[in-house]
Amino acid sequence: MESEVKDHAELAAIFNKDENRVDWHDETLWWVRQKRDKMAHGLPGWEDLREAASQIKDNVLSNLSQYLQQFEANAQANGTIVHWAADAKEHNEIVLELLLKNGIRKMVKSKSMLTEECHLNEYLEQQGIDVIDSDLGERIVQLAKEPPSHIVLPCIHKKKEEIGDLFHIHLGTPAGNADPQLLTEAARQHLREVFLTRKAALTGVNFAVAETGEFVVCTNEGNADMGAHLADIHIASMGIEKIIPQRKHLGVFLRLLARSATGQPITTYSSHFVKPRDGQRLHIIIVDNGRSIQLGREDFRNSLKCIRCGACMNTCPVYRRSGGHSYHTAIAGPIGAILAPNLDMEKYADLPFASTLCGSCSNVCPVKIDIHQQLYKWRQVIVQKGYTTTAKKASMKLMAFTLSSPAAYRTGGKVGRWVLKHAPFAVNNKFNPWFKQRDMPETPEQSFGEWYNKNRKK
Amino acid sequence: MKVGLFIPCYVDQFYPGAAIATLQLLEKLGVDVTYPPNQTCCGQPMANSGFEHLTGGCNDLFIKNFAGFDYVVAPSGSCVLHIKEHLHGDADPQATINHKVYELTEFLTDVLKVKSLPAKFPHKVGMHQSCHGQRGLHLSQMTELVAPEYSKPGSLLNMVEGIELIPLNRKDECCGFGGTFCVAEESVSVKMGKDRVADHLEHGAEFITGVDMSCLMHMEGILNRQGSKVKVLHIAEILNAG
Amino acid sequence: MSSRDKILSAVAANQPRLSPLPDVDFLKGGEINAVEKFTEVLTAVGGKVINIAKLDEVTAYIEMNIAAGERVVNLLSEPLGMRAPQTDIKDLPHALANIELAILQAEMGIAENGAVWLNENRLGQRVTPFICQHLVVILDKSNVVPTMHHAYEKIGNEKYGFATFIAGPSKTADIEQSLVLGAHGSRSMTVFLRDI
């Protein structure tokens, strides 16, 4: 599909060609941010809750090896089968093997960003397995053959008319009907059949409790439960960082998750899975896929505290105006920009620069990840590793020289002002990206330094 | 108390009015303020682009220029934040420079403890909350946190006779300047700036002000391209007005 | 080396110095009118709350609201009349697809988010509260607690096989953020708050 790989800036420029659509996307997500604010301001002790969650996750990362073993032992004692996958490939192979061993070729899936990261659906489809995503937003992007653009609101980039057209083609809804109620009803009927007939269900894991070996899956739609409680085998995929120490800590995280994500006090369903159902097999796949490496990066390990709420995306003024697909990675937005370079620094070198470092993300993050500080630090790492252009390196070296020499700086400034004043065409043209949609600043007669010299120098 | 005046590079070159106002305001308030002539830049443009490792020369020059002062004051939240968080020389200047560097409004509020100003500015003014000053230096409360409201620049503006501060739909959304971001991600940068400007225009601003000339320069570029009569002014120019 | 060993040794090598767990008990907060808050919040998220003194009122509700011929299952330990046969649903979960209304007993309700806590051992089948078209839950007022912290304190280290918090009818806003009630779980949820 892509002949050349575009970076965030190029993809964002394409997104911005339709200004009305950008406004719509931006306002919709800003509204979700406002709903989160309302919840936060209505909860006494909100900031204490964030601090507690942050400290719990700090503890988890500092004791992760022990907690993982504790979780495994308890899960196994409950009758759950635990698998370990070092990387995406291994995870996908484990899923395939479980299905084939049981003679299953059709699976129903509920939302899991981890499986997006592993490209599970594509892999299974290549192996002749039919996978249906049951989360309404995920089903929509699946039918549209696109990846989700937001980790919580997968098709936030799609208008209802577009969804109506998709459903008309694939589900037989009336042409031109874009009524959310009708479309949701059509999805309900279609997916109910899927739940009732598929023998394997795969879900994600929101939280995995080391103390008890249980895990929690949160949905508003009930699709994870419909899939899991009707299937012969339930596979739950989790990243190693989804661990929390004790059951009572769920109180902290379940109070923060939905409020941060969608501005709801809690998701409609928060299901606690401990033992397999009678006659069912329950499998958990614990996945590394680069997380243990990130754990070793002192400046970036805190990104592993993430509980995948998406609040950082909703508040990010850049994300809202560029859309999730501009980040060309499974997890977009501010958190994506600090997770992805760990997976492939060259491919995702552009992401930490897709930011003004405004700091809004860090302050809505329920687990207090220092996102904007990590964005700054990733920039240093990426440049040091050489993932920058020769032109940029050259211009920065020149800037460094100019700014360490008072004389060079003063001359440079004077020359710049002269050019702008007397030969503006040299600067005010299509080669100057500033000039495309903004006027250049006016040129004063003298710099402040020159004025001071004349008017104040003792 | 001796104060060294630090003027951001682009303010020095393109907006000397803001620097002059800063100087005059401090002098009016009885401060012994000097502008070391050999200063250049705080190094932020390089550091934010990932080239922090090239800022050594620039940093050493900064430390040298400002070594002898009790306080260093700058009309820029962004530059001051960068100095506080990222500027370090070969010796350990964390002990000597960082704690004595202040942005103008925080200096007026926290050190001079200004309670009144003889300024007059009878106009409708929109206050732009520059991000680094707000979220980094805590110049005013951010809407993300559940915490008591306060604003150092806002309180100072309210001391100005005749001023009318307009409300905004989004009190502290970023303007989109972001350093080299403004050209590297031009389309998003401009869209963010246009949206900020529209918010101020919707609420009747005659002037847009803030603690960072970079944000204002970006919004001014958009306003002028739109043919708008609305002007930008650094907060020092308003606090020094009349 | 197995993947398990590879992962665990990489994690052990890379994890930072141990940092302590914080106290979370203080997060419980002060006293509130839990029943009032529960009613307010559940109603706001699309659930219905009806105060009752006796279970007869539930029977009357069924007579009035569910058409004859629709399948109603009662999983309470008390009877609710002929329309709602008591059952422990030994059927295959799939055979429950035609349940119009399921009546379940909640262990507890949480005021801050309008959720009820349902334990597998009183659901018949795990799928029951999800597969029914409409859900009715009986909750004793004395079992309504203020926050999730209180809830987990009450749950303690109980060994359930499956349990769930349910806060209202299933829903989605995936289509242009328009809220639609009735996604894949129940289309409605009514909690009868019993004066006990």
Side-chain angles (χ1 to χ4, degrees):
Chain A
M1 214 160 104
E2 287 171 325
S3 49
E4 43 153 274
V5 179
K6 290 195 168 52
D7 67 6
H8 181 274
E10 290 163 311
L11 293 166
I14 295 169
F15 190 81
N16 273 276
K17 283 194 160 60
D18 185 343
E19 191 169 359
N20 287 334
R21 198 174 177 114
V22 173
D23 286 336
W24 165 79
H25 187 263
D26 165 69
E27 276 155 23
T28 308
L29 286 164
W30 180 254
W31 183 63
V32 183
R33 152 81 207 267
Q34 288 180 296
K35 287 202 291 177
R36 171 253 166 214
D37 287 357
K38 198 157 172 236
M39 279 286 137
H41 285 271
L43 205 159
W46 174 259
E47 297 299 336
D48 290 332
L49 209 50
R50 286 180 70 220
E51 181 59 30
S54 173
Q55 287 181 27
I56 293 169
K57 280 288 179 176
D58 284 336
N59 168 269
V60 168
L61 295 182
S62 74
N63 198 32
L64 188 56
S65 162
Q66 280 304 108
Y67 284 138
L68 282 167
Q69 291 173 77
Q70 187 189 9
F71 175 75
E72 177 192 45
N74 285 319
Q76 285 168 337
N78 294 333
T80 304
I81 302 156
V82 178
H83 310 258
W84 298 76
D87 55 25
K89 181 168 176 287
E90 201 179 345
H91 165 269
N92 296 349
E93 286 166 355
I94 292 171
V95 175
L96 178 67
E97 211 203 307
L98 285 172
L99 296 174
L100 293 181
K101 221 165 53 173
N102 289 283
I104 296 172
R105 295 205 149 259
K106 293 182 185 205
M107 186 174 82
V108 65
K109 224 185 83 189
S110 79
K111 195 170 192 30
S112 160
M113 286 315 298
L114 173 62
T115 62
E116 288 293 333
E117 189 187 308
C118 295
H119 301 290
L120 176 70
N121 286 20
E122 283 149 59
Y123 173 80
L124 289 178
E125 261 141 46
Q126 277 160 22
Q127 307 296 326
I129 307 285
D130 182 56
V131 183
I132 291 193
D133 276 313
S134 60
D135 178 284
L136 178 60
E138 293 283 347
R139 185 67 181 128
I140 289 167
V141 294
Q142 185 176 45
L143 290 173
K145 297 202 195 327
E146 288 170 16
S149 67
H150 187 290
I151 63 176
V152 171
L153 317 165
C155 64
I156 193 76
H157 62 288
K158 282 202 136 13
K159 294 211 159 197
K160 57 184 194 279
E161 289 78 18
E162 291 157 12
I163 298 168
D165 290 342
L166 266 176
F167 276 24
H168 170 62
I169 297 169
H170 295 279
L171 302 184
T173 50
N177 189 303
D179 172 40
Q181 193 88 38
L182 186 136
L183 296 173
T184 304
E185 181 68 32
R188 180 190 174 91
Q189 296 305 329
H190 154 62
L191 283 159
R192 203 167 170 91
E193 260 314 293
V194 171
F195 294 130
L196 286 166
T197 52
R198 301 220 161 185
K199 302 220 185 301
L202 188 145
T203 70
V205 165
N206 288 88
F207 306 103
V209 183
E211 185 189 37
T212 57
E214 73 193 286
F215 62 92
V216 177
V217 184
C218 303
T219 70
N220 277 319
E221 297 174 33
N223 54 313
D225 289 280
M226 284 295 278
H229 305 315
L230 293 169
D232 292 341
I233 93 165
H234 172 188
I235 305 168
S237 301
M238 64 176 266
I240 55 174
E241 82 284 26
K242 289 305 183 80
I243 291 278
I244 64 174
Q246 297 162 29
R247 181 185 275 175
K248 73 176 184 190
H249 295 134
L250 287 169
V252 176
F253 291 101
L254 290 178
R255 296 183 81 201
L256 283 167
L257 179 62
R259 287 185 171 101
S260 302
T262 53
Q264 298 172 274
I266 195 170
T267 47
T268 306
Y269 305 102
S270 309
S271 290
H272 296 48
F273 293 82
V274 190
K275 301 189 177 100
R277 197 176 80 240
D278 267 342
Q280 183 200 46
R281 268 138 306 133
L282 178 56
H283 296 262
I284 292 178
I285 311 177
I286 302 178
V287 183
D288 183 352
N289 201 37
R291 288 155 173 72
S292 59
I293 296 174
Q294 187 84 319
L295 185 64
R297 297 183 195 269
E298 191 182 330
D299 287 334
F300 308 114
R301 71 164 59 103
N302 280 346
S303 62
L304 294 174
K305 289 160 64 169
C306 178
I307 62 173
R308 303 288 193 270
C309 73
C312 58
M313 289 170 213
N314 303 336
T315 199
C316 179
V318 174
Y319 176 90
R320 280 186 270 110
R321 294 176 183 81
S322 58
H325 291 155
S326 300
Y327 295 77
H328 56 90
T329 177
I331 298 179
I335 186 67
I338 61 175
L339 289 172
N342 174 57
L343 299 173
D344 187 333
M345 215 176 290
E346 187 174 6
K347 190 169 173 195
Y348 301 118
D350 57 323
L351 298 186
F353 293 90
S355 165
T356 56
L357 304 180
C358 79
S360 186
C361 50
S362 305
N363 290 286
V364 297
C365 178
V367 290
K368 292 191 166 180
I369 301 170
D370 55 335
I371 303 176
H372 72 290
Q373 269 127 354
Q374 291 192 33
L375 288 168
Y376 175 85
K377 289 177 182 163
W378 267 121
R379 295 177 182 190
Q380 313 307 325
V381 173
I382 284 165
V383 166
Q384 296 276 32
K385 285 273 197 281
Y387 298 120
T388 183
T389 63
T390 324
K392 193 141 199 209
K393 270 189 272 202
S395 70
M396 286 294 150
K397 283 216 170 88
L398 178 60
M399 195 186 276
F401 163 73
T402 311
L403 298 176
S404 348
S405 156
Y409 162 77
R410 282 196 287 266
T411 311
K414 212 170 170 129
V415 167
R417 276 180 286 123
W418 190 95
V419 168
L420 250 182
K421 197 176 183 93
H422 298 285
F425 50 84
V427 174
N428 297 355
N429 55 51
K430 67 175 195 233
F431 298 109
N432 175 5
W434 176 281
F435 190 71
K436 197 165 168 209
Q437 301 186 72
R438 290 165 285 208
D439 282 358
M440 294 292 285
E442 275 166 30
T443 33
E445 282 306 324
Q446 49 187 354
S447 69
F448 174 73
E450 287 160 359
W451 178 93
Y452 188 86
N453 206 31
K454 280 206 191 81
N455 293 275
R456 283 285 186 287
K457 187 101 177 266
K458 298 152 184 142
Chain B
M1 127 175 95
K2 286 188 167 335
V3 169
L5 184 64
F6 164 51
I7 298 297
C9 47
Y10 59 94
V11 174
D12 174 34
Q13 295 296 327
F14 290 103
Y15 294 97
I20 295 167
T22 303
L23 176 71
Q24 289 176 338
L25 180 59
L26 288 170
E27 288 171 340
K28 252 186 221 168
L29 294 168
V31 177
D32 172 0
V33 48
T34 312
Y35 171 77
N38 287 332
Q39 61 182 272
T40 58
C41 175
C42 68
Q44 194 185 182
M46 291 172 289
N48 278 3
S49 301
F51 291 83
E52 196 181 46
H53 61 283
L54 290 182
T55 57
C58 184
N59 292 352
D60 286 337
L61 180 62
F62 188 93
I63 293 163
K64 197 170 91 174
N65 277 312
F66 290 99
F69 294 97
D70 299 308
Y71 295 99
V72 179
V73 177
S76 166
S78 182
C79 302
V80 168
L81 181 67
H82 173 75
I83 292 162
K84 282 195 170 167
E85 290 195 338
H86 301 296
L87 193 146
H88 46 84
D90 289 326
D92 176 49
Q94 291 286 340
T96 51
I97 279 282
N98 305 49
H99 70 283
K100 65 185 192 187
V101 179
Y102 279 81
E103 180 275 337
L104 177 66
T105 63
E106 71 176 343
F107 184 73
L108 262 43
T109 307
D110 297 345
V111 180
L112 297 184
K113 304 203 200 295
V114 168
K115 295 281 183 276
S116 70
L117 288 166
K120 281 190 188 37
F121 197 76
H123 298 284
K124 284 183 159 172
V125 175
M127 167 87 205
H128 173 67
Q129 303 282 1
S130 296
C131 301
H132 298 153
Q134 184 200 27
R135 293 192 190 83
L137 296 177
H138 306 288
L139 297 182
S140 50
Q141 191 52 271
M142 61 185 100
T143 58
E144 291 84 0
L145 294 183
V146 180
E149 288 226 16
Y150 69 90
S151 172
K152 296 178 191 180
S155 302
L156 289 166
L157 284 173
N158 278 323
M159 295 175 194
V160 176
E161 189 184 318
I163 199 172
E164 187 187 328
L165 289 177
I166 54 151
L168 293 167
N169 293 333
R170 299 189 191 180
K171 279 177 67 178
D172 53 9
E173 189 183 36
C174 180
C175 71
F177 175 75
T180 51
F181 180 90
C182 75
V183 290
E185 290 253 7
E186 184 266 346
S187 56
V188 178
S189 171
V190 168
K191 179 60 181 153
M192 286 168 70
K194 280 166 83 175
D195 289 349
R196 279 299 75 234
V197 161
D199 196 352
H200 287 267
L201 292 178
E202 187 190 313
H203 291 91
E206 298 169 67
F207 293 89
I208 301 178
T209 192
V211 305
D212 265 292
M213 211 57 226
S214 48
C215 309
L216 297 171
M217 171 171 73
H218 168 69
M219 286 190 276
E220 179 186 59
I222 290 166
L223 284 164
N224 288 348
R225 182 61 59 93
Q226 291 176 349
S228 170
K229 292 201 172 27
V230 174
K231 298 262 165 267
V232 306
L233 274 181
H234 188 273
I235 195 173
E237 297 175 273
I238 296 180
L239 300 179
N240 192 46
Chain C
M1 218 189 191
S2 69
S3 288
R4 176 188 187 277
D5 293 336
K6 261 194 287 194
I7 295 169
L8 285 172
S9 60
V11 170
N14 288 340
Q15 62 195 32
R17 210 185 57 228
L18 188 66
S19 80
L21 274 174
D23 166 49
V24 297
D25 294 326
F26 81 99
L27 294 165
K28 276 151 96 173
E31 288 290 318
I32 58 160
N33 184 330
V35 170
E36 194 179 285
K37 181 85 181 163
F38 175 85
T39 305
E40 176 198 318
V41 178
L42 182 54
T43 311
V45 299
K48 246 196 340 231
V49 181
I50 300 175
N51 288 288
I52 55 165
K54 304 186 313 260
L55 276 181
D56 293 352
E57 297 171 67
V58 179
T59 310
Y61 173 89
I62 297 166
E63 303 290 322
M64 277 225 343
N65 290 288
I66 308 294
E70 297 282 22
R71 186 178 176 193
V72 180
V73 296
N74 167 16
L75 283 128
L76 307 178
S77 51
E78 294 131 287
L80 286 174
M82 271 177 36
R83 290 285 317 279
Q86 269 178 298
T87 176
D88 52 13
I89 315 187
K90 289 268 194 267
D91 327 39
L92 265 186
H94 298 72
L96 307 182
N98 61 358
I99 298 180
E100 180 68 13
L101 177 70
I103 303 150
L104 305 169
Q105 177 74 42
E107 311 298 316
M108 130 173 81
I110 296 85
E112 69 164 314
N113 52 30
V116 299
W117 175 245
L118 299 171
N119 189 314
E120 175 179 45
N121 58 20
R122 296 218 253 189
L123 297 180
Q125 289 281 354
R126 293 180 181 187
V127 84
T128 309
F130 307 96
I131 204 168
C132 61
Q133 297 295 333
H134 299 278
L135 178 61
V136 158
V137 168
I138 315 297
L139 173 64
D140 299 343
K141 279 186 180 165
S142 57
N143 285 333
V144 180
V145 302
T147 72
M148 294 295 279
H149 304 296
H150 295 88
Y152 281 106
E153 194 178 47
K154 216 165 160 201
I155 293 166
N157 49 21
E158 183 186 335
K159 291 194 179 344
Y160 44 79
F162 169 82
T164 184
F165 287 108
I166 298 188
S170 70
K171 53 167 74 125
T172 179
D174 272 338
I175 300 176
E176 281 207 42
Q177 287 294 294
S178 292
L179 184 64
V180 176
L181 299 183
H184 305 298
S186 70
R187 295 174 188 274
S188 78
M189 186 207 188
T190 307
V191 172
F192 286 96
L193 266 177
R194 199 150 56 150
D195 247 319
I196 297 179

